[in-house]
């Protein structure tokens, strides 16, 4: 329960509305409660208050918000441990350099822009952290993970410049990553672009908050499984109040509360502005967020007012000032900071004679100098220190600031400030004067487009102090250490044998073939512990319930209930050391967990291999932006797009019928997508993926393997002797060859079974010889061919694309088919010289039998036959009437005549 910020003798808000008949008695009760909280903690105080309310039979709504004042009383603030004056000076220099860097990047001939105002308003929030809280990777406790607000990146570069990590030439390379290569800075936190500097990408707003939550969970997961002691590490996420409108920003708060993640702090920079205007002009975003986070089970600390307000609040005996604070709208607060001290006197304090009297002794300049809490070192320090108290709850700090603080009246609190990227000569002079930066008018006037950066020299006392603070806290931040993990023991051949054996006479879907490989990988005595299975829900649908009794489901609280299925072999088992992350119906959270685990090799020096299994339709389509962020963060792991295909999950209908996931995945350069037909292909692909991510000879480790697997049972063949492994991994290999083939059937995934059916029909009914190829990856074939084309274009040599070399000597037409849109096979159409026809499942899906759906889309075995005969007839190699005869024979236009596909599941 939050301690009131106003004196106990003067209740405010709803309490103040009712006359206190016995103030002395009230004070005694409050003193007693204060003593209890002081001795036993806030949780005990809240328990007693709730018990008293229940005992009295009082019905009241829970208090969602507190007064619009600081949560922490001025009297309760800890002593500030730093040298405020030294810190103020170099913070001013950083603010200057950050703004100048962006301004110089907007000069004529460059014009790449940047954002000045976010860091200007948030500098204190970061500097208090850098000077006293944020622990680097060399800290004995392991260091913190910090999600910097994306638009504040110039401030982090400005600090690195003061630290000597970056030079002026680097700052001048801001947003010029190719033209200034070697001295370039990415626009925002992008680990892939600056792999030794940035650790977490955050500027796709909403992704930072949920990734921070799952990073905090991942820290606890590592500890629970005995992989690393993370007990002294903390996760900080810096967010904007406008960003909190993103559903992702709020949608996963319950996990942090349910898991008791008191190793997590959100710092929400409440400057009351979005990118183009106020967040809640007619409301109060701080109060809204307080109620939301409280309801979600978080600690809430508000930092609203700077120290200059303390004496005014202490003198507010009747609560008039607090009442005005409570009722003033955000749109008005924004306007006040764009006006003047006199305007504030008349329009804020002047609303009540009592509050007007409070400031009668202050000049307009003194009123203008009443800072907001986010610009006060002491207030921010007190909030950060409080957030580190471990009480079983995550903490959010709501800090009120001014966007563009100190940049002058053209910038401060203006709606357009986010888009303003350069300063006039007068702006520069005013900003310099405000910050007291020792740069002359002549230096600014020499070239207003390139004002100088400022650094006092490495021997300056301010720099010595700054460096000492970072040494004491474990080194520089941000920092990423991609090679922190070293080599790991990879699984041996035995782990993949189950894939090569096939399913004998039994039928098994490729989903089950994958699960069998995963199960054996998890049994590997060294490598198995590194696998992190992630399932959003319906593990039983994927046949993964067999993992429950042995690997167990991770839960930081263990399993404290009597399971309803405890008597069955595959019962639900939760454990503090569980290996499976079973995140519920939550694809966004699953990708966040995937990202945390898949980057643990750099974040913690502990390599993990996340294996995320999901309904394919709800992967790239639903969480594509998060997967781009995962690629940016250089996540490694496996995405298993289960229940794949447009016609394979037949009963579920349109929103489950996936005909395009591989196409969406193809747009992400870090994702390597395969569409295997058989279990033995899966075994080779998974082995290659593991070796590529963590093998000693790998040169390109930062990849994500995406496998399409199906829920349709078929007889899984044993691996043929002398199988073309290079073909499987390269994207295409021949699985059924004939003498003198007249045509070639290229199919992927479940489509291979239709191609094999067509091969037999062509031979038996029409005397046509066809060979069948399993295309394990249309996307990798295209990437290879495009790269070959690019090499030739740029004079780097000439080579034959893999798909062309594999099909070399294969005369005759090609029919390509898959359970996806025609665009998927057509990725390689331009590179193959043969006559080509594509069959695919374009359009929307629907509910029906597999056979009927495939006949409707004309992708089943008979459809392949008819299309093949059409190509051959056009070449004069079969009777011209054969295609029409085949269409009639197989009743091609009758969806009820389809037979391709098993309906058994």
């Amino acid at each position: 329960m939050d301690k009131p910020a106003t004196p106990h003798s003067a209740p405010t808000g709803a309490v103040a509305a009712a006359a206190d008949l016995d103030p002395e008695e009230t004070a005694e009760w409050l003193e007693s409660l204060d003593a209890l909280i002081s001795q036993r903690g806030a949780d005990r105080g809240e328990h007693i208050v709730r018990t008293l309310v229940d005992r009295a039979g009082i019905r009241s709504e829970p208090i969602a918000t507190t007064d619009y004042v600081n949560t922490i009383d001025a009297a309760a603030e800890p002593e500030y441990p730093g040298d405020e004056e030294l810190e103020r000076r170099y913070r001013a220099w950083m603010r200057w350099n950050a703004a100048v860097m962006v301004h110089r990047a907007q000069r004529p001939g460059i014009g790449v822009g940047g954002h000045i105002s976010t860091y200007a308003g948030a500098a204190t929030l970061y500097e208090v952290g850098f000077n006293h809280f944020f622990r680097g990777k060399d800290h004995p406790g392991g260091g913190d993970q910090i999600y910097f607000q994306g638009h504040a990146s110039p401030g982090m570069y400005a600090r690195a410049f003061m630290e000597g990590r970056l030079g002026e030439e680097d700052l001048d390379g801001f947003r010029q990553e190719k033209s200034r290569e070697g001295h370039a800075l990415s626009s925002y936190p992008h680990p892939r672009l600056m792999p030794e500097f940035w650790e977490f990408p955050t500027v796709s707003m909403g992704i930072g908050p949920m990734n921070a939550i799952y990073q905090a969970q991942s820290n606890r997961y590592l500890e629970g499984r005995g992989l690393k002691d993370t007990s002294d590490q903390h996760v900080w996420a810096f967010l904007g109040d406008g960003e909190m409108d993103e559903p992702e920003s709020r949608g996963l708060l319950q996990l942090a509360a349910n898991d008791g993640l008191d190793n997590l702090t959100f710092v929400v920079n409440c400057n009351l502005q979005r990118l183009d205007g106020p967040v809640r002009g007619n409301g109060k975003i701080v109060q809204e967020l307080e109620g939301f986070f409280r309801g979600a089970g978080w600690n809430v600390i508000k930092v609203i007012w700077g120290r200059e307000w303390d004496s005014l609040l202490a003198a507010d005996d009747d609560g008039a000032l607090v009442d005005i604070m409570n009722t003033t709208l955000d749109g008005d607060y924004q306007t006040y900071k764009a006006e003047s001290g006199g305007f504030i006197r008349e329009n804020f304090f002047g609303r009540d004679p009592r509050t007007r009297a409070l400031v009668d002794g202050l000049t307009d300049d003194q009123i203008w100098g009443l800072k907001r809490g986010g610009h006060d070192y002491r207030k921010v320090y007190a909030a950060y220190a409080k957030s580190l108290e471990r009480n079983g709850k995550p903490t959010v700090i709501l800090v009120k600031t001014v966007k563009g603080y100190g940049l002058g009246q053209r910038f401060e609190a203006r709606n357009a400030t986010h888009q303003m990227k350069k300063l006039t000569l007068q702006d520069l002079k005013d900003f310099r004067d405000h910050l007291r930066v020792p740069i002359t008018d002549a230096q600014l006037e020499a070239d207003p487009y390139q004002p100088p950066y400022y650094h006092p020299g490495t021997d300056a006392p301010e720099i010595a102090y700054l460096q000492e603070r970072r040494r004491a806290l474990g080194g520089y931040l941000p920092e990423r250490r991609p090679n922190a993990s070293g080599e790991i023991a990879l699984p041996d051949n035995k782990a993949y044998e189950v894939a090569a054996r096939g399913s004998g006479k039994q039928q098994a879907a490729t989903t089950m073939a994958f699960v069998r490989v995963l199960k054996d990988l998890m049994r590997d005595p060294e490598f198995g512990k590194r696998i992190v299975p992630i399932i959003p829900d319906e593990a039983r649908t994927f046949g993964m319930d067999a993992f429950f009794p042995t690997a167990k489901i991770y839960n930081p609280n263990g399993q404290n209930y009597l399971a309803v299925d405890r008597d069955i072999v595959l019962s639900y088992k939760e454990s503090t050391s569980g290996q499976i992350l079973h995140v519920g119906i939550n694809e966004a959270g699953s990708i966040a967990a995937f990202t945390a685990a898949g980057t643990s090799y750099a974040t913690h020096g502990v390599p993990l291999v996340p294996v995320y299994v999901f309904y394919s339709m709800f992967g790239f389509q639903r969480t594509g932006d998060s997967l781009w962020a995962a690629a940016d963060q250089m996540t490694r792991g496996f995405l298993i797009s289960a229940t794949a295909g447009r016609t394979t999950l037949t009963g579920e209908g349109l929103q489950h019928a996936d005909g395009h996931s591989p196409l969406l995945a193809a747009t992400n350069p870090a994702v390597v997508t395969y569409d295997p037909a058989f279990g033995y292909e899966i075994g080779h692909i998974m082995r290659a993926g593991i070796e590529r991510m963590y093998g000693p000879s790998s040169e390109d480790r930062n990849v994500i393997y995406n496998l399409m697997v199906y829920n349709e049972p078929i007889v899984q063949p044993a691996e043929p002797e002398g199988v073309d492994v290079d073909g499987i991994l390269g994207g295409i290999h021949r699985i059924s060859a004939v003498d003198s083939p007249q045509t070639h059937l290229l199919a992927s995934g479940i489509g291979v079974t239709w191609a094999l059916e067509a091969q037999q029909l062509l031979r038996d009914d029409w005397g046509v010889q066809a060979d069948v190829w399993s295309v394990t990856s249309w996307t990798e074939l295209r990437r290879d061919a495009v790269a070959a084309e690019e090499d030739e274009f740029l004079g780097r040599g000439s080579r034959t694309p893999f798909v062309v070399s594999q099909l070399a000597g294969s005369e005759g037409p090609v029919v390509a088919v898959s359970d996806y849109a025609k665009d998927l096979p057509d990725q390689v159409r331009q590179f193959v010289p043969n006559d080509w026809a594509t069959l695919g499942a374009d359009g929307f899906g629907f509910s029906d039998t597999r056979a009927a759906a495939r006949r409707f889309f004309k992708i089943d075995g008979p459809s392949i036959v008819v299309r093949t005969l059409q190509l051959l007839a056009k070449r004069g190699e079969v009777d011209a009437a054969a295609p029409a005869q085949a269409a009639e024979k197989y009743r091609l236009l009758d969806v009820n005549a389809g037979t391709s596909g098993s309906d058994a599941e």
Side-chain angles (χ1 to χ4, degrees):
M1 178 171 291
D2 291 349
K3 190 176 180 182
T6 51
H8 290 149
S9 58
T12 60
V15 177
D20 190 345
L21 301 179
D22 192 342
E24 186 175 344
E25 182 183 32
T26 301
E28 290 175 357
W29 279 96
L30 293 174
E31 289 171 9
S32 177
L33 179 62
D34 285 346
L36 174 65
I37 293 173
S38 176
Q39 295 177 16
R40 303 287 299 279
D43 287 345
R44 180 60 181 165
E46 182 173 4
H47 174 77
I48 291 298
V49 170
R50 290 185 181 277
T51 302
L52 290 171
V53 170
D54 289 342
R55 181 64 171 267
I58 299 171
R59 292 187 179 183
S60 63
E61 293 296 321
I63 299 174
T65 61
T66 57
D67 287 326
Y68 199 69
V69 294
N70 295 342
T71 301
I72 301 172
D73 288 341
E77 292 171 7
E79 189 74 23
Y80 190 76
D83 186 322
E84 269 198 86
E85 181 53 31
L86 281 180
E87 292 179 25
R88 187 208 63 76
R89 287 206 290 271
Y90 65 74
R91 175 177 60 116
W93 302 336
M94 289 175 198
R95 292 178 64 212
W96 171 263
N97 290 332
V100 165
M101 180 185 72
V102 174
H103 176 79
R104 288 169 69 125
Q106 192 64 10
R107 66 189 181 275
I110 302 297
V112 294
H115 299 287
I116 295 176
S117 296
T118 298
Y119 178 71
T124 297
L125 308 184
Y126 289 111
E127 281 307 298
V128 171
F130 276 120
N131 291 324
H132 302 288
F133 291 95
F134 303 160
R135 292 170 293 188
K137 293 186 179 295
D138 291 328
H139 190 276
D144 296 339
Q145 290 87 46
I146 304 170
Y147 291 74
F148 296 98
Q149 194 176 355
H151 292 108
S153 62
M156 309 313 125
Y157 295 139
R159 170 168 261 272
F161 173 65
M162 302 304 291
E163 293 167 337
R165 302 168 68 195
L166 298 175
E168 289 192 15
E169 190 174 358
D170 299 312
L171 297 188
D172 276 346
F174 180 58
R175 292 192 168 194
Q176 300 153 71
E177 295 174 54
K178 299 302 179 186
S179 58
R180 296 276 187 140
E181 192 167 5
H183 292 281
L185 302 180
S186 63
S187 55
Y188 302 123
H190 290 305
R192 185 169 284 273
L193 300 177
M194 296 179 67
E196 295 183 352
F197 191 87
W198 294 115
E199 195 162 26
F200 306 109
T202 54
V203 84
S204 187
M205 286 187 268
I207 289 179
M210 63 183 183
N211 279 5
I213 289 171
Y214 277 85
Q215 182 63 56
Q217 186 203 51
S218 184
N219 290 3
R220 292 285 172 83
Y221 173 87
L222 286 168
E223 188 173 2
R225 292 194 55 212
L227 297 173
K228 183 184 179 183
D229 180 4
T230 60
S231 59
D232 199 29
Q233 297 184 274
H234 203 78
V235 177
W236 301 80
F238 286 82
L239 317 167
D241 50 357
E243 180 178 5
M244 298 310 293
D245 278 350
E246 290 282 5
E248 296 88 346
S249 296
R250 304 196 197 189
L252 298 173
L253 300 184
Q254 80 287 343
L255 173 79
N258 292 343
D259 276 21
L261 297 179
D262 54 8
N263 60 339
L264 172 66
T265 297
F266 276 13
V267 181
V268 183
N269 177 15
C270 297
N271 56 36
L272 314 184
Q273 292 183 243
R274 294 188 183 127
L275 306 187
D276 282 320
V279 178
R280 297 286 186 274
N282 289 324
K284 297 174 79 68
I285 186 61
V286 170
Q287 302 298 82
E288 175 189 320
L289 293 176
E290 179 185 19
F292 199 92
F293 277 92
R294 276 174 168 271
W298 288 52
N299 296 311
V300 178
I301 300 173
K302 294 193 292 190
V303 182
I304 309 293
W305 309 113
R307 71 191 73 170
E308 298 81 5
W309 291 86
D310 290 344
S311 60
L312 296 177
L313 286 165
D316 183 32
D317 294 329
D318 49 12
L321 177 57
V322 173
D323 282 343
I324 287 181
M325 291 172 167
N326 285 341
T327 56
T328 299
L329 300 176
D330 280 356
D332 289 322
Y333 277 123
Q334 182 186 349
T335 298
Y336 296 150
K337 292 311 293 182
E339 294 292 338
S340 65
F343 186 92
I344 295 170
R345 182 192 300 275
E346 294 302 321
N347 292 276
F348 180 73
F349 292 105
R351 286 158 53 186
D352 187 306
R354 295 170 294 177
T355 53
R356 177 66 181 254
L358 284 175
V359 294
D360 280 346
L362 301 181
T363 66
D364 287 351
D365 285 344
Q366 286 174 319
I367 290 176
W368 183 249
L370 295 170
K371 291 199 298 288
R372 295 185 176 176
H375 306 300
D376 189 317
Y377 273 45
R378 296 183 196 173
K379 304 298 184 184
V380 174
Y381 180 88
Y384 286 6
K386 185 72 174 175
S387 78
L388 294 182
E389 295 178 4
R390 294 297 174 89
N391 60 8
K393 292 181 180 181
T395 295
V396 61
I397 303 174
L398 305 174
V399 192
K400 193 174 182 182
T401 64
V402 178
K403 193 168 187 177
Y405 180 70
L407 290 172
Q409 285 202 330
R410 273 201 332 120
F411 283 82
E412 281 193 6
R414 300 291 178 179
N415 282 340
T417 188
H418 186 77
Q419 283 73 33
M420 296 169 72
K421 306 176 187 302
K422 59 184 179 181
L423 302 101
T424 66
L425 179 58
Q426 190 58 49
D427 289 334
L428 289 166
K429 290 181 178 180
D430 291 344
F431 190 39
R432 174 208 58 191
D433 292 344
H434 173 74
L435 297 176
R436 290 171 270 176
V437 179
I439 290 175
T440 66
D441 282 356
Q443 288 176 288
L444 298 178
E445 291 165 357
D447 185 351
Y449 287 110
Q450 297 196 71
Y453 299 111
Y454 181 75
H455 196 294
T458 57
D459 295 332
E462 295 87 351
I463 301 305
Y465 175 92
L466 175 151
Q467 299 284 19
E468 185 279 327
R469 294 309 307 137
R470 288 316 311 158
R471 282 193 295 272
L473 288 166
Y476 298 127
L477 288 171
E479 183 191 15
R480 182 175 178 274
R481 295 185 178 178
N483 301 313
S485 61
E487 301 297 333
I488 64 172
L490 299 183
D492 59 22
N493 296 337
K494 185 178 180 182
Y496 304 99
E497 289 177 355
V498 66
R501 288 199 294 265
S503 62
K505 296 181 179 180
Q506 293 182 335
Q507 292 186 328
T510 47
T511 298
M512 185 53 65
F514 150 75
V515 169
R516 289 171 178 169
V517 175
L518 179 62
K519 192 171 185 179
D520 280 3
L521 286 170
M522 291 173 66
R523 286 173 173 167
D524 185 274
E526 289 298 323
F527 186 80
K529 65 185 178 184
R530 301 190 182 278
I531 294 176
V532 183
I534 302 171
I535 316 165
D537 204 9
E538 297 200 77
R540 298 180 195 278
T541 299
F542 307 136
M544 297 183 70
D545 49 337
F547 294 3
F548 290 166
T550 52
K552 298 185 177 61
I553 297 161
Y554 171 73
N555 188 320
N557 302 308
Q559 184 167 320
N560 301 314
Y561 60 90
L562 191 63
V564 68
D565 61 355
R566 62 191 179 279
D567 294 330
I568 67 173
V569 175
L570 304 182
S571 62
Y572 205 79
K573 291 284 198 312
E574 300 181 66
S575 170
T576 56
S577 60
Q579 188 167 3
I580 302 166
L581 291 177
H582 200 241
V583 298
I585 305 173
N586 184 354
E587 287 84 8
S590 297
I591 291 295
F594 177 81
T595 302
T599 55
S600 182
Y601 69 92
T603 309
H604 287 292
V606 178
L608 299 175
V609 182
V611 181
Y612 170 34
V613 189
F614 53 95
Y615 268 87
S616 62
M617 190 69 155
F618 307 136
F620 286 86
Q621 175 169 291
R622 178 167 289 191
T623 56
D625 191 18
S626 290
L627 285 164
W628 272 94
D632 190 347
Q633 200 170 325
M634 289 171 284
T635 304
R636 303 171 186 171
F638 288 91
L639 300 172
I640 309 299
S641 297
T643 59
R646 179 146 282 158
T647 68
T648 306
L649 189 64
T650 51
E652 296 290 338
L654 185 150
Q655 288 186 317
H656 289 68
D658 176 17
H660 51 275
S661 278
L663 286 165
L664 296 176
T667 64
N668 191 318
V671 176
V672 181
T673 296
Y674 284 94
D675 188 18
F678 304 123
Y680 69 82
E681 293 174 333
I682 290 173
H684 285 292
I685 293 166
M686 292 191 70
R687 179 172 189 161
I690 290 170
E691 291 178 351
R692 185 170 176 182
M693 294 172 203
Y694 288 112
S697 59
S698 177
E699 297 180 357
D700 181 18
R701 299 181 174 210
N702 301 318
V703 291
I704 299 168
Y705 271 57
N706 175 45
L707 274 67
M708 315 303 297
V709 296
Y710 301 81
N711 70 325
E712 183 170 356
I714 63 172
V715 173
Q716 294 288 337
E719 181 176 308
E721 188 174 349
V723 68
D724 181 6
V725 176
D726 290 340
I728 291 173
L729 302 180
I732 182 172
H733 68 119
R734 184 158 42 195
I735 62 168
S736 182
V738 297
D739 293 333
S740 304
Q742 297 164 264
T743 186
H744 313 280
L745 308 181
L746 276 58
S748 66
I750 197 64
V752 169
T753 61
W754 318 329
L756 290 169
E757 178 189 1
Q759 179 190 48
Q760 184 173 343
L761 291 174
L762 284 166
R763 181 185 66 235
D764 295 348
D765 294 349
W766 308 98
V768 170
Q769 297 296 313
D771 54 11
V772 177
W773 298 75
S774 173
V775 181
T776 52
S777 181
W778 301 102
T779 301
E780 289 305 294
L781 291 178
R782 175 174 176 78
R783 288 175 175 173
D784 169 77
V786 167
E789 213 172 45
E790 185 82 353
D791 287 343
E792 187 171 359
F793 167 54
L794 298 177
R796 293 195 291 248
S798 178
R799 67 176 176 84
T800 303
F802 186 73
V803 64
V804 176
S805 64
Q806 285 290 87
L807 293 171
S810 300
E811 302 296 331
V814 167
V815 175
V817 64
S818 76
D819 205 12
Y820 302 97
K822 295 183 181 71
D823 291 349
L824 183 63
D826 280 353
Q827 289 183 103
V828 299
R829 186 172 189 162
Q830 73 189 77
F831 303 104
V832 178
N834 307 53
D835 291 339
W836 180 289
T838 302
L839 301 177
D842 288 19
F844 289 108
F846 51 84
S847 298
D848 215 314
T849 66
R850 291 179 176 131
R854 288 160 187 170
R855 176 54 55 90
F856 173 83
F857 285 118
K858 305 299 181 290
I859 55 177
D860 60 356
S863 298
I864 297 171
V865 170
V866 174
R867 193 69 181 99
T868 303
L869 292 175
Q870 287 175 346
L871 291 178
L872 291 171
K874 189 175 182 179
R875 294 161 60 96
E877 295 180 16
V878 299
D879 191 299
Q885 292 171 356
E888 182 178 359
K889 176 181 177 65
Y890 303 129
R891 295 162 53 199
L892 198 67
L893 301 181
D894 182 357
V895 296
N896 292 307
T899 59
S900 297
S902 166
D903 288 325
E905 295 191 14

